[in-house]
Amino acid sequence: MAFDDTAPSSSSLPEPTAYGSLTDHEDDARWAYGTGFTDPLAGVPADLPDGVDRADLMTYCLMLGDDALIMSHRLQQWVTRAPELEDELALANIGLDLLGQARLLLTRAGVAEGAGRDEDDLAYRREAHEFRNVRLAERADGDFAQLMARLLVFTAWRLAVFDRLSGSRDPMLAAIAAKGVKELTYHRDYAARWVVRLGGGTALSHSRMAAAMSDISLLSGELFRAHEVETRLGSVAVDPGAVRGEFDAVMGEVLAAAGLPARDEMSEILIFGRDGNHTEALTEILTEMQELARAVPGGKW
Amino acid sequence: MIDEVKHEWPLFEVFVRAKRGLNHVHVGSLRAADHRMAVQHARDLYTRRNEGVSIWVVRSDDVVASDPDDKEALFEPSADKVYRHPTYYAIPDSVPHI
């Protein structure tokens, strides 16, 4: 994760960042690719907000960061398996956006913890029970319709949360959320268009899309239950219960356009990924994701 | 609902306007089921590195192109007509500001 943009440790200068190498030249007309890259977090104070509980803030950053990290990994697994090359790149782009959100949030979690752990420590050197992602993020998808149903629910929910989080009392969380809102708006649009397309497509695509939407409602209940950490953090965090109305309105609009039945009632969830209770699916993801980092401790790329 | 199933998406040509340019420039082609999807795919394929501020897509089969076999008739007659270039003409000394 940080492998591509860290300087050799012998350097006494500040480590150059990926953004720095793209923005520190003046004659940018010589570049074939686009220019004008900016660091969305430039100038944002990194201090923790007054009176915040460090452990709670860390847990909250892990919750949002792990959601993105695990969802991103599932999207990456579709690369080379997507139905069309163009969609493969779209899924990879969405996965990369979420990975970027995960990096910022895990870094913030490490700062809040104050024990010197960085994003890589938190991504590669935690066990499954220490992950705080919702269970919806880890499920494997049986077909493309299942992926689109899950992506739509995930992004519609996350966009509504991030929209409110951009007013967080923690300026760093607010800046991360504001950056994410633009990305998630596109992700939601991409997934919604596919749900509409498959719902209104052939008899086969319609039945698969309807089945996928029905399956995903089993995992959706957890998204709107406020965790005790979210409650304790007050105006630093967002109460996910408060976004339910917005989420339902978006889903209702998409499902109606797709000619799909209105959503089933979300089932009452008894087991929560937010508390570290996960399925085998997360173990499978971590085995793959952490394999190299665990095999080569301290390795740099 | 759609009854007829096509197994290949049509081809679209993509034009992107860069930040400081004036014209949309042809950057490549892609496959998509419809125009909206083509714009979405173009965004993912051709503007990932901040290349553009505007995208046009057009179905490739809507593009009417000149026939390569007509090359001689279409383009070569202009090759010997140097008087169509302003530099062909000598500017009299009495004409200032040119």
Side-chain angles (χ1 to χ4, degrees), chain B residues 24-37:
Chain B
H24 285 73
V25 175
H26 183 242
V27 291
S29 54
L30 53 78
R31 291 198 180 274
D34 55 45
H35 286 87
R36 293 301 315 169
M37 194 202 270

Side-chain angles (χ1 to χ4, degrees), chain A residues 109-131:
Chain A
V111 170
E113 184 189 39
R117 285 205 282 181
D118 66 9
E119 51 179 321
D120 287 345
D121 293 322
L122 292 170
Y124 294 129
R125 285 177 276 281
R126 273 187 300 153
E127 305 289 336
H129 67 87
E130 296 171 278
F131 275 75

